[in-house]
Amino acid sequence: SVISRIGDHTAELVDRVLPGGPESASGPTWSPEPGTPRTRVEVDGRHGHVDEVDVPRLVALAAERDGVLVLEQPLGAFTTRGQTLATFWGTGWDAEASAAVNRAVRLDTERSTRQDVGFGFRQLVDIGERALSPGVNDPTTATQVIDELHRLLREAVQRRSPSPFVADGDGVVRVVAPGPDVNALLRLSVEELAHYG
């Protein structure tokens, strides 16, 4: 039932964060103009995994400053004080804006599936690896994990990875935020279990 609950919750998140349909999406893109000033935004006095990102707030903040904010830490990544959290490309950045970015990016000591779809896959793979270990030797549980991963991957591979470029209401890219990568989810689901199997 634990495996099933993790799978159900992850399936709901797949529906929310991965766009439907395998067709490629076209939309705005961005790359910095040569000579554009940039400002490094550091993690404030916190540490933990990137658990939740308020993207609409970051879009509004970058639009107010007329620049582009590039998130350097993806969901699930562990980060600590002084590490680069984001880079702002443009002028007019200040300490107040850096504090606003830190408020818009939630860090937690443990990963969760609030927005981090990879964590559900990670939990299932960990359960499967423990089941395959010589100390536990529980192939039935490992098979249940593989079945649940199969279910999730069937959904994920029929979708496309979302564009990292997030535009404001005028169609101007304001935030570059790495999202879930279907290829990475596939590798996570297959490589380690195949190795330990």
Side-chain angles (χ1 to χ4, degrees):
S1 61
V2 170
I3 293 169
S4 201
R5 278 198 307 272
I6 293 170
D8 289 346
H9 196 71
T10 304
E12 291 170 12
L13 192 56
V14 165
D15 278 340
R16 280 202 333 258
V17 302
L18 292 174
E23 70 278 357
S24 61
S26 60
T29 60
W30 174 84
S31 61
E33 296 282 335
T36 303
R38 64 182 173 204
T39 305
R40 182 173 169 258
V41 180
E42 293 184 358
V43 177
D44 57 14
R46 306 172 295 155
H47 69 277
H49 296 274
V50 177
D51 187 52
E52 200 168 7
V53 178
D54 187 346
V55 174
R57 176 66 196 116
L58 294 177
V59 168
L61 180 65
E64 288 166 11
R65 305 280 201 254
D66 194 28
V68 177
L69 189 67
V70 178
L71 291 178
E72 306 291 353
Q73 304 295 333
L75 284 163
F78 184 85
T79 186
T80 189
R81 183 176 58 129
Q83 255 185 296
T84 303
L85 182 61
T87 304
F88 179 76
W89 293 81
T91 57
W93 197 256
D94 53 25
E96 180 185 327
S98 291
V101 170
N102 271 279
R103 287 191 300 273
V105 179
R106 174 192 165 110
L107 301 184
D108 207 332
T109 53
E110 294 185 18
R111 289 176 73 180
S112 79
T113 51
R114 284 184 184 89
Q115 292 179 343
D116 181 6
V117 70
F119 183 52
F121 284 82
R122 175 80 264 166
Q123 287 177 299
L124 291 169
V125 169
D126 285 352
I127 293 169
E129 288 175 356
R130 285 188 197 99
L132 290 170
S133 72
V136 176
N137 194 22
D138 182 6
T140 300
T141 297
T143 300
Q144 290 172 324
V145 164
I146 291 168
D147 289 343
E148 200 64 45
L149 288 167
H150 172 208
R151 166 193 170 204
L152 294 170
L153 287 171
R154 282 182 65 86
E155 287 298 318
V157 300
Q158 295 180 69
R159 298 161 186 260
R160 61 182 183 269
S161 296
S163 171
F165 304 106
V166 185
D168 62 16
D170 296 325
V172 178
V173 171
R174 295 299 183 187
V175 171
V176 181
D181 179 351
V182 173
N183 292 325
L185 296 175
L186 179 59
R187 284 194 305 275
L188 171 61
S189 300
V190 173
E191 287 178 353
E192 292 180 27
L193 287 172
H195 171 77
Y196 290 110

